[in-house]
Amino acid sequence: MGELTALPNLGKVLKAQLTEAGITTSEELLKSGSREAWLRIFAFDSSACYNRLLALEGAIRGVRYHLLPQEVKAELKEFYALHKPPKQKRG
């Protein structure tokens, strides 16, 4: 089984969040996919952001997240926009 920390973009914090989400190996991350993994993390950490989603996708693809193709980034941005909480109005 592959170590999560061997993947790009996954530091201690994101690895700990994946573990809390029930994803403990690179194979489990690959099987769940970035979107499902992000949703699991978002369920207990509402600060899970778009960059975290990109980091997960990059880890699955074996690249730094900033090297993901623009069309992939656009698809993930659309997914993120559908699932993030609405911004609270101040006042």
Side-chain angles (χ1 to χ4, degrees), residues 2-58:
E3 272 291 318
L4 287 172
T5 51
L7 300 174
N9 311 314
L10 302 185
K12 290 179 187 179
V13 172
L14 191 47
K15 180 183 178 267
Q17 289 181 326
L18 285 168
T19 300
E20 187 173 342
I23 299 169
T24 59
T25 66
S26 57
E27 290 82 3
E28 289 172 346
L29 178 57
L30 181 61
K31 185 177 177 182
S32 72
S34 62
R35 291 165 179 86
E36 175 63 27
W38 183 86
L39 286 172
R40 289 190 199 179
I41 291 169
F42 186 70
F44 61 83
D45 180 1
S46 63
S47 75
C49 62
Y50 169 65
N51 286 338
R52 203 166 314 173
L53 179 59
L54 290 178
L56 291 165
E57 183 65 28

Side-chain angles (χ1 to χ4, degrees), residues 35 50-51 53-54 70-84:
R35 291 165 179 86
Y50 169 65
N51 286 338
L53 179 59
L54 290 178
Q70 288 303 318
E71 60 273 8
V72 172
K73 289 180 181 179
E75 289 171 11
L76 292 173
K77 188 167 216 153
E78 188 174 314
F79 173 84
Y80 175 75
L82 289 171
H83 293 89
K84 72 176 183 173

